[in-house]
């Protein structure tokens, strides 16, 4: 029942990554997810050059106008073009979370691997601290820091990276436990390899897959958190456009001007759905999702 | 006799990534009469489990029925509704899976699980369930059924769990039992007991059984008829006697020749090659590529199942010839050791898993739990192979880990060559580490799935010899050659190799270090018999060319017999007997050795196991006296409980640790 590749492939790291990418693309969830994420990323980069209007140009004559030829998604309560603001509204969120996610995965992952390897009483005590942290509502924890230090990027990135790294510790620790018990680790120890070699060569490659999938999931959660903070007024400051902020501003007029909410909602949810679908396909391509193993 | 299970022209397959339909079962006809016991045998991937499960209308995820029908007791299984199937399955047609420990619900008491089975599949009123449950547990010969119903699955041993699974299957008074490798993974003694139980139950109740196993010994014991499967089709079918004693298909012959036998010291013959992947069998005979007597027509025309002249049916053009070819049944003689230099010396080794509890730590006392392994003194000669045998929990692997430095012993000393070895890997010098290499049971677990074969082989070469660049790769290829794999395997990942190839890579990695001592921990247990034979042959070859000292751990006595010069028998981490292989396997021996040997199943319908001791699994050794006191069939009396038995030596190099005098040991 072993699947045997008919072509003896060059099993370099690059080729494995390409193979995984191909596998992700071959799945419907991967195709849709990656397309959504790619569209968002491209738009975020090029939007300043393609937007039809100035995002802060107000026009009292155009307040809350419905979609038209000139304003495809209508205008908001200050007469600003919604399409322009939707196109630009993801930039800040993607920038902040794009930097904070890798930081969260790296520090959480390293600490998780460390405690997974050390075990014993130190691990026991530390994990209870982690549990205690996880039991507090995230929004509360974050608001405390943001209210204390301010709402700039330089505060938001470390805050998000810190709080979203904590669950990664758990995942990395569990993945480490799975791998450490396997014989190839014993074999490497019995050969007399140093601790660093065993960790970097034997352990890390096997934990990395799990961390990648976890990272993708964390990214989507972090986006949601960032938008929630903006919605509450603690993220991006006006007049800069941001989806969370736009939803907050337009929600009062939802009953008669739904376009103000609809644009940013669709943008935000399509990005989050895209990331989730990609993470899902990635997990399957890497063989982490055991329920979906290939037949026979 | 009426036909109970009738499978007609069934084909089962899946659609591969490339969109091609690949058949796992190909046009199979199989009829099982009521009260009959049919064995399905073949290598892994031959489709035997799929066929048995198809008989109850179950196909694994991704598989679909392509053709044919399965009828059970007159009802077309695949045409039934879900509800109807649920009524039949577990009721009239019950399945006993391989690992029943995993199929029992861990949070439910045994009694509750049996009640559930009775509620769903028997007509008994609810107030009779409790007594019926106890009665069923008594039927499967579990001691003290009243106590068992209150237990949880994890409180039972593997053999007891398997008995509970059988009791659950019997709850619905089934007409037929499907058994999917029901004794694989159990100890030899437990396996023999379970098989006897199944035989008796089938005879008492007139139940039909379909017994799926790769173990021809088990099949020989239980089944009246055997069906040999290869690449999803039946290649030979006939009475057990006919198939096992005078097989007419070359595949069945090869399979039989690859089984090591207890009464034969020669190496078994490996069946080279491997079966085609599903859907890859060509137009001709699926076995053609591995067949010793293949002819041109075998490759172009697919042979049909035809009645054979001595009964049964066979799918081979050359059945007549195959019968005549039968002469070649034993392989090369294993290399035997002769010498007297000591390579490895274990002196009073004891290992304890028990940690002192907090209170004991504070009072500065050690635990009074007896150590898991105690008082092991063995010396192994240069180039000698020492077999370590015993049931699971006897401490075989624990001793290997201690020698390798992965588990620090609580007491005693390990000496390799003439230098004493420090207890842990960290304290040992690289040259001492290089000397001793360990090969694990399961290559899926011992090879890093993310490393290519060359990565795997280069690690010891870089570490011990500091090789690099072209030299490194050339040396890797050379080592790979030695385990009979070509250099083109260097860039493959473990999941691109078959089970046997993976184990070869693991062996190659151990030999890359140029070790003097190789520790083999059940190295063939995870492999098919045909592959096992090849691995044994390879190990024997390496012993010949490298003069390696092996410590060979296995629960399979026949495998140990083939390779070992000397054998040590362990029970509960204590030595019972040690001696030359022929001394241990014949003549006077320890009562425990007798029990082990008696339980071995030979692929011969005439061989009958002797079941001397109960298959109780002990969790800890007794504090005093003989370790085997609680299960010994030849207990003398109180002396066995109180005094440690003395070593007695019936011949040079042979020692038995028992209170019974040598004359009495010899008596039976």
């Amino acid at each position: 029942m072993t699947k045997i590749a008919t072509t003896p492939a060059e099993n370099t790291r690059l080729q494995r990554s390409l193979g995984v990418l191909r596998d992700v693309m071959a799945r419907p969830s991967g195709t849709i997810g990656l397309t959504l994420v790619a569209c968002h990323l491209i738009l975020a980069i090029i939007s300043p050059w393609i937007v039809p209007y100035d995002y802060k140009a107000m026009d009292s004559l155009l307040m809350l106008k419905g979609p038209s030829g000139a304003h495809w998604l209508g205008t908001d309560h200050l007469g600003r073009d919604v399409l322009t603001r939707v196109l630009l509204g993801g930039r800040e969120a993607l920038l902040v979370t794009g930097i904070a996610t890798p930081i969260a995965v790296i520090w959480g992952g390293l600490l998780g691997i460390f405690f997974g390897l050390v075990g014993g009483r130190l691990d026991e005590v530390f994990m209870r601290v982690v549990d205690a942290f996880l039991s507090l509502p995230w929004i509360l924890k974050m608001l405390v820091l943001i209210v204390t230090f301010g709402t700039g990027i330089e505060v938001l990135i470390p805050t998000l990276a810190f709080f979203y790294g904590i669950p990664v510790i758990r995942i990395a620790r569990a993945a480490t436990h799975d791998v450490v018990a396997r014989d190839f680790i014993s074999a490497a120890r019995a050969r007399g390899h140093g601790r660093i070699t065993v960790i970097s060569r034997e352990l890390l490659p096997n934990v990395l897959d799990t961390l990648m999938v976890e990272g993708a999931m964390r990214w989507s959660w972090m986006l949601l958190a960032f938008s929630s903070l903006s919605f509450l007024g603690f993220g991006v400051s006006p007049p800069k456009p941001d989806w969370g902020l736009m939803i907050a501003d337009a929600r009062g007029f939802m009953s008669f001007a739904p376009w103000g909410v609809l644009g940013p909602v669709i943008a935000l949810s399509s990005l989050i759905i895209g990331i989730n679908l990609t993470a899902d396909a990635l997990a399957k391509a890497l063989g982490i999702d055991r329920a979906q193993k290939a037949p026979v | 006799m009426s036909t109970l299970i009738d499978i007609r022209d069934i084909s089962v397959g899946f659609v591969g990534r490339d969109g091609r339909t690949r058949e796992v079962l190909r046009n199979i006809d199989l009829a099982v009469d009521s009260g009959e016991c049919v064995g399905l045998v073949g290598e892994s991937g031959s489709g035997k489990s799929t066929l048995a499960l198809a008989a109850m209308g179950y196909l694994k995820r991704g598989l679909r029925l392509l053709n044919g029908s399965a009828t059970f007791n007159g009802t077309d299984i695949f045409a039934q509704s879900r509800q109807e199937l649920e009524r039949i399955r577990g009721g009239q047609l019950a399945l006993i899976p391989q690992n029943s420990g995993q199929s029992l619900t861990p949070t439910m008491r045994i009694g509750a699980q049996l009640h559930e089975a009775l509620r769903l599949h028997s007509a008994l009123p609810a107030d009779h369930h409790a007594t019926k449950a106890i009665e069923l547990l008594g039927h499967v010969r579990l001691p003290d059924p009243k106590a068992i119903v209150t237990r949880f699955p994890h409180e039972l041993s593997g053999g007891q769990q398997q008995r509970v699974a059988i009791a659950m299957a019997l709850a619905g008074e089934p007409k037929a039992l499907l058994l999917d490798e029901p004794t694989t993974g159990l100890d030899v003694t437990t396996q023999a007991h379970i098989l006897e139980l199944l035989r008796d139950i089938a005879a008492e109740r007139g139940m039909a059984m379909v017994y799926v196993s790769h173990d021809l010994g088990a099949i020989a014991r239980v089944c009246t008829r055997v069906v040999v499967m290869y690449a999803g089709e039946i290649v030979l079918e006939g009475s057990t006697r006919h198939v096992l004693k005078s097989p007419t298909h070359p595949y069945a012959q090869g399979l039989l020749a690859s089984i090591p036998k207890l009464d034969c010291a020669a190496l078994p013959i490996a069946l080279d090659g491997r079966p085609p992947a599903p859907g890859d069998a060509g137009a001709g005979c699926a076995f053609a590529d591995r067949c010793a007597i293949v002819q041109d027509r075998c490759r172009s025309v697919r042979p049909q199942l035809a009645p054979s002249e001595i009964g049964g049916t066979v799918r081979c053009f050359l059945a007549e010839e195959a019968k005549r070819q039968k002469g070649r049944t034993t392989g090369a003689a294993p290399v035997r050791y002769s010498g007297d230099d000591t390579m490895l010396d274990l002196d009073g080794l004891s290992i304890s898993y028990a940690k002192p509890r907090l209170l004991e730590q504070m009072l500065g006392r050690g635990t009074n739990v007896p150590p898991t392994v105690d008082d092991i003194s063995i010396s192994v000669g240069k180039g000698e192979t020492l077999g370590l045998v015993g049931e699971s929990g006897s401490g075989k692997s624990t001793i290997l880990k201690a020698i390798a430095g992965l588990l620090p012993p609580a007491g005693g000393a390990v000496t390799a060559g003439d230098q004493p070895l420090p207890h842990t890997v960290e304290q040992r010098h690289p040259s001492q580490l290089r000397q001793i290499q360990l090969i694990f049971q399961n290559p899926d677990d011992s090879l890093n799935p993310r490393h290519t074969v060359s990565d795997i082989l280069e690690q010891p070469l870089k570490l011990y010899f500091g090789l690099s660049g072209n030299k490194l790769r050339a040396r890797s290829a050379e080592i790979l050659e030695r385990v009979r794999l070509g250099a083109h395997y260097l860039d493959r990942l473990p999941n691109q190799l078959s089970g046997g190839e993976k184990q070869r890579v693991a062996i190659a990695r151990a030999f890359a270090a140029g070790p003097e001592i190789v520790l083999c921990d059940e190295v063939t247990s995870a492999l098919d018999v045909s592959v096992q034979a090849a691995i044994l042959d390879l190990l024997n070859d390496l012993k010949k060319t490298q003069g390696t000292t092996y410590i060979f751990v296995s629960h399979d006595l026949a495998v140990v017999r083939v390779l070992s010069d000397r054998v040590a028998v362990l029970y509960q981490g204590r030595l019972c007997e040690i001696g030359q292989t022929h001394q241990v396997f014949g003549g006077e021996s320890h009562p425990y050795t007798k029990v082990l040997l008696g339980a071995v199943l030979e692929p011969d319908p005439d061989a009958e196991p002797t079941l001397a001791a109960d298959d109780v699994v002990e969790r800890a050794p007794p504090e005093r006296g003989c370790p085997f006191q609680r299960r010994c069939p030849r207990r003398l009396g109180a002396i066995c409980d109180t005094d440690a038995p003395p070593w007695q030596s019936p011949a040079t190099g042979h020692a038995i640790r028992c209170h019974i005098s040598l004359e009495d040991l010899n008596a039976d």
Side-chain angles (χ1 to χ4, degrees):
Chain A
M1 311 210 177
T2 335
K3 231 168 84 190
I4 293 132
T6 36
T7 46
E10 284 274 331
N11 288 302
T12 58
R13 283 197 175 84
L14 176 71
Q15 260 181 334
R16 179 174 186 275
S17 312
L18 284 177
V20 168
L21 191 66
R22 226 174 287 132
D23 199 336
V24 169
M25 286 302 286
R27 293 166 195 275
S29 59
T31 322
I32 299 169
L34 271 183
T35 314
L36 282 173
V37 174
C39 286
H40 270 286
L41 287 176
I42 292 166
L43 279 177
I45 292 164
I46 62 168
S47 52
W49 293 280
I50 59 161
V51 287
Y53 297 94
D54 180 3
Y55 68 85
K56 44 185 193 300
M58 292 181 264
D59 189 339
S60 51
L61 296 174
L62 285 171
M63 266 156 53
L64 297 174
K65 286 273 184 293
S68 63
H71 299 280
W72 292 0
L73 289 182
T75 56
D76 68 2
H77 64 293
L78 298 174
R80 297 174 294 195
D81 180 45
V82 174
L83 178 66
T84 305
R85 293 179 64 81
V86 166
L87 285 174
L88 291 167
R91 282 167 62 85
E92 192 89 350
L94 279 169
L95 179 72
V96 170
T97 56
I99 297 171
T101 306
I103 298 175
V105 171
I106 289 168
W107 86 262
L110 286 178
L111 214 58
I113 291 170
F114 175 75
F115 282 109
L117 284 172
V118 171
R121 209 153 292 172
L122 183 66
D123 169 56
E124 202 64 43
V125 171
F126 188 82
M127 288 323 283
R128 295 297 81 77
V129 175
V130 167
D131 286 344
F133 249 105
L134 289 174
S135 65
L136 294 170
W138 62 268
I139 197 108
L140 208 69
K141 295 180 286 193
M142 267 195 276
L143 284 181
V144 169
L145 280 188
I146 289 163
V147 169
T148 320
F149 297 108
T151 55
I153 284 188
E154 68 287 351
V155 177
L156 280 170
I157 290 177
T159 308
L160 285 167
F162 174 67
F163 285 111
Y164 281 81
I166 292 172
V168 179
I169 298 177
R170 281 213 147 267
I171 301 285
R173 179 173 167 270
T176 307
H177 276 178
D178 281 352
V179 180
V180 160
R182 298 184 62 182
D183 281 341
F184 60 81
I185 301 284
S186 304
R189 278 190 53 213
R191 275 199 303 274
H193 285 295
R195 206 168 271 256
I196 306 289
T197 321
V198 174
I199 294 172
S200 62
R201 284 195 52 99
E202 305 285 340
L203 182 83
L204 215 53
N206 289 289
V207 176
L208 229 48
D209 287 355
T210 315
L211 281 182
M212 260 166 72
V213 175
E214 180 62 17
M217 294 306 292
R218 287 296 136 209
W219 186 22
S220 75
W221 283 105
M222 213 186 266
L223 267 168
L224 211 55
F226 180 84
S227 301
S228 307
L229 285 174
S230 295
F231 181 86
L232 294 174
F234 294 99
V236 176
S237 344
K240 243 189 188 176
D242 178 83
W243 296 329
L245 197 60
M246 288 169 73
I247 296 168
D249 286 346
R251 75 183 200 282
F253 318 105
M254 200 152 59
S255 52
F256 55 92
W259 52 86
V261 178
L262 224 51
V265 162
I266 289 172
L268 180 61
S269 40
S270 66
L271 177 55
I272 287 173
I273 289 170
I275 295 172
N276 275 307
L277 286 175
T278 313
D280 197 39
L282 186 65
K284 282 172 192 161
L286 292 170
I288 293 172
D289 191 335
R290 280 160 192 277
Q292 289 288 325
K293 266 197 174 163
V296 191
Chain B
M1 289 257 188
S2 59
T3 304
L4 190 63
I5 297 171
D6 193 8
I7 292 174
R8 291 238 176 107
D9 199 27
I10 209 167
S11 294
V12 167
F14 64 95
V15 180
R17 274 277 169 81
D18 52 359
R20 249 183 69 200
T21 303
R22 293 174 178 271
E23 289 180 311
V24 179
L25 293 179
R26 297 194 285 162
N27 308 91
I28 293 210
D29 290 303
L30 178 70
V32 180
D33 289 341
S34 47
E36 191 187 22
C37 182
V38 176
L40 298 180
V41 294
E43 287 164 294
S44 47
S46 61
K48 53 190 192 303
S49 293
T50 310
L51 176 59
L53 291 173
M56 66 193 302
Y58 178 80
L59 298 176
K60 276 183 218 155
R61 201 193 166 92
L63 290 181
R64 61 181 77 166
L65 183 70
L66 302 173
N67 186 35
S69 67
T71 319
F72 173 73
N73 204 14
T75 44
D76 184 349
I77 285 282
F78 282 101
Q80 298 306 310
S81 67
R82 218 188 146 86
Q83 286 86 353
E84 194 57 29
L85 272 178
E86 275 168 11
R87 210 177 52 73
I88 295 172
R89 290 176 186 166
Q92 297 172 45
L93 183 60
L95 173 78
I96 296 175
Q98 174 172 348
N99 193 339
S100 46
Q102 280 176 13
S103 66
L104 296 174
T105 310
T107 53
M108 260 166 94
R109 291 178 198 278
I110 300 299
Q113 310 206 23
L114 276 165
H115 286 210
E116 192 178 57
L118 286 165
R119 185 168 53 79
L120 291 171
H121 298 299
S122 79
L124 275 181
D127 49 340
H128 285 63
H129 285 179
T131 42
K132 181 73 181 172
I134 291 171
E135 190 190 313
L136 282 170
L137 291 174
H139 261 299
V140 294
R141 294 179 207 153
L142 276 165
D144 200 3
K146 285 203 183 86
I148 299 265
V149 287
T150 63
R151 301 265 174 82
F152 287 102
H154 71 267
E155 296 177 286
L156 306 180
S157 70
Q160 287 174 324
Q161 289 172 343
Q162 196 60 289
R163 280 167 201 260
V164 171
I166 296 170
M168 280 177 76
L170 295 179
E173 303 282 335
K175 290 193 169 70
L177 276 184
L178 301 175
L179 301 115
D180 191 358
E181 305 259 11
T183 61
T184 308
L186 298 178
D187 277 319
V188 273
T189 45
T190 313
Q191 157 166 309
H193 276 276
I194 298 275
L195 290 179
E196 288 316 293
L197 174 69
L198 288 171
R199 257 170 79 101
D200 294 347
I201 286 175
E204 273 167 34
R205 304 184 172 224
M207 253 178 350
M209 295 206 283
V210 176
Y211 193 103
V212 177
S213 182
H214 68 281
D215 183 350
L216 287 167
I219 296 272
R221 195 67 199 127
V222 180
C223 302
T224 47
R225 196 152 64 90
V226 179
V227 171
V228 183
M229 293 190 60
Y230 185 79
E233 51 184 24
I234 294 175
V235 292
L236 177 65
E237 178 265 316
S239 71
T240 306
R241 183 168 304 276
H242 156 232
V243 171
L244 296 183
K245 291 248 175 173
S246 48
T248 43
H249 195 282
Y251 174 62
Q253 287 178 353
L255 214 52
L256 275 163
S258 66
I259 301 172
K261 289 168 197 71
L262 208 51
D263 54 3
C264 164
L267 283 167
I269 301 167
L271 191 56
D272 292 329
R274 63 172 176 225
D280 284 351
C285 172
F287 187 61
D289 288 338
R290 300 169 75 186
C291 186
I293 54 170
V294 63
Q295 293 182 352
D296 283 346
R297 61 174 165 162
C298 299
R299 297 192 191 278
S300 51
V301 187
R302 186 176 165 202
Q304 295 303 311
L305 268 178
S308 137
E309 57 179 61
I310 51 167
T313 48
V314 59
R315 190 190 290 276
C316 183
F317 295 124
L318 306 158
E320 283 306 300
E321 236 132 306
K323 218 165 67 196
R324 260 178 269 125
Q325 285 274 325
K326 241 197 109 216
R328 193 175 150 264
T329 48
T330 51
V335 186
R336 288 294 172 219
Y337 154 79
S338 56
D340 42 29
D341 295 353
T342 302
M343 188 67 228
L344 181 74
D345 188 62
L346 309 179
D347 184 23
L349 194 68
S350 78
I351 305 156
S352 181
Y353 281 110
K355 274 191 197 149
R357 270 172 295 179
L358 197 61
L359 185 69
E360 288 164 333
Q361 270 181 359
M362 287 196 298
L363 295 173
R365 279 198 314 228
T367 59
N368 40 16
V369 180
T372 316
V373 169
D374 200 15
D375 194 20
I376 302 290
S377 299
I378 305 172
S379 67
V380 191
K382 197 171 167 55
E384 188 181 31
T385 300
L386 174 78
L388 283 183
V389 296
E391 289 162 303
S392 54
S394 62
K396 310 175 296 257
S397 302
T398 308
I399 293 173
L400 292 194
K401 282 200 184 120
I403 299 172
L406 290 172
L407 194 69
V414 181
T415 314
D418 43 12
Q419 352 170 5
L421 287 180
H423 282 172
T424 63
V425 165
E426 287 78 19
Q427 295 160 351
R428 291 185 186 176
H429 190 262
S431 69
Q432 293 171 326
L433 292 167
R434 185 197 58 78
Q435 243 182 343
I436 299 179
Q437 293 291 317
L438 185 59
I439 307 172
F440 294 85
Q441 170 173 357
N442 190 346
D444 282 325
D445 218 37
S446 68
L447 301 180
N448 192 331
R450 300 289 301 274
H451 288 178
T452 60
V453 172
S454 68
D455 288 337
I456 290 165
L457 296 179
E458 282 168 7
Q459 276 164 357
L461 293 175
K462 279 196 256 185
L463 184 70
Y464 299 130
F465 306 108
L467 294 181
S468 62
N470 281 339
K471 247 194 188 148
L472 183 63
R473 201 169 163 90
R475 182 87 184 115
S476 307
E478 194 184 313
I479 289 161
L480 212 50
E481 207 71 58
R482 220 188 284 156
V483 296
R484 299 168 207 163
L485 291 175
H488 58 282
Y489 280 93
L490 278 176
D491 291 320
R492 297 216 185 152
L493 285 167
N495 66 2
Q496 295 163 336
L497 306 175
S498 73
E501 286 168 343
K502 278 183 234 176
Q503 196 60 295
R504 278 167 203 267
V505 171
I507 292 171
R509 175 173 67 182
F511 276 91
E516 275 93 58
I517 300 162
V518 173
L519 311 172
C520 304
D521 190 0
E522 301 265 13
V523 288
T524 61
S525 314
L527 307 172
D528 267 317
V529 276
S530 54
V531 182
Q532 164 174 292
I535 296 290
L536 292 177
D537 191 48
L538 173 68
L539 288 173
N540 183 54
D541 219 41
L542 289 167
K543 183 181 175 183
K544 192 158 53 185
T545 54
Q546 319 278 311
T548 320
T549 305
Y550 285 117
I551 297 192
F552 196 87
V553 161
S554 180
H555 67 280
D556 187 335
L557 294 170
V559 169
V560 168
R561 159 110 225 215
V562 164
L563 275 193
S564 306
D565 300 302
R566 269 195 316 147
V567 174
V569 182
L570 287 165
Y571 185 75
Q572 289 285 317
R574 277 96 180 128
L575 273 177
C576 294
E577 179 174 358
I578 183 164
Q580 305 282 323
T581 307
H582 63 92
Q583 291 170 333
V584 174
F585 282 71
E588 54 271 87
S589 48
H590 192 279
Y592 179 56
T593 315
K594 278 256 161 40
V595 168
L596 283 181
L597 286 170
V600 172
L601 297 164
E602 299 272 349
D604 179 348
D606 297 327
E608 205 173 308
T610 42
L611 304 175
D614 295 336
D615 59 330
V616 187
V617 170
E618 298 187 56
R619 281 167 203 271
E623 281 179 41
R624 287 188 302 165
C626 172
F628 194 48
Q629 53 178 268
R630 297 180 212 144
R631 284 176 64 193
C632 186
R634 301 190 61 192
R635 240 177 88 92
L636 285 179
I639 190 173
C640 298
D641 301 341
T642 52
D643 294 9
W647 280 108
Q648 309 183 65
S649 181
T652 30
H654 188 195
I656 299 170
R657 200 173 191 193
C658 188
H659 285 296
I660 304 169
S661 70
L662 286 174
E663 295 83 72
D664 286 351
L665 278 177
N666 207 6
D668 66 347

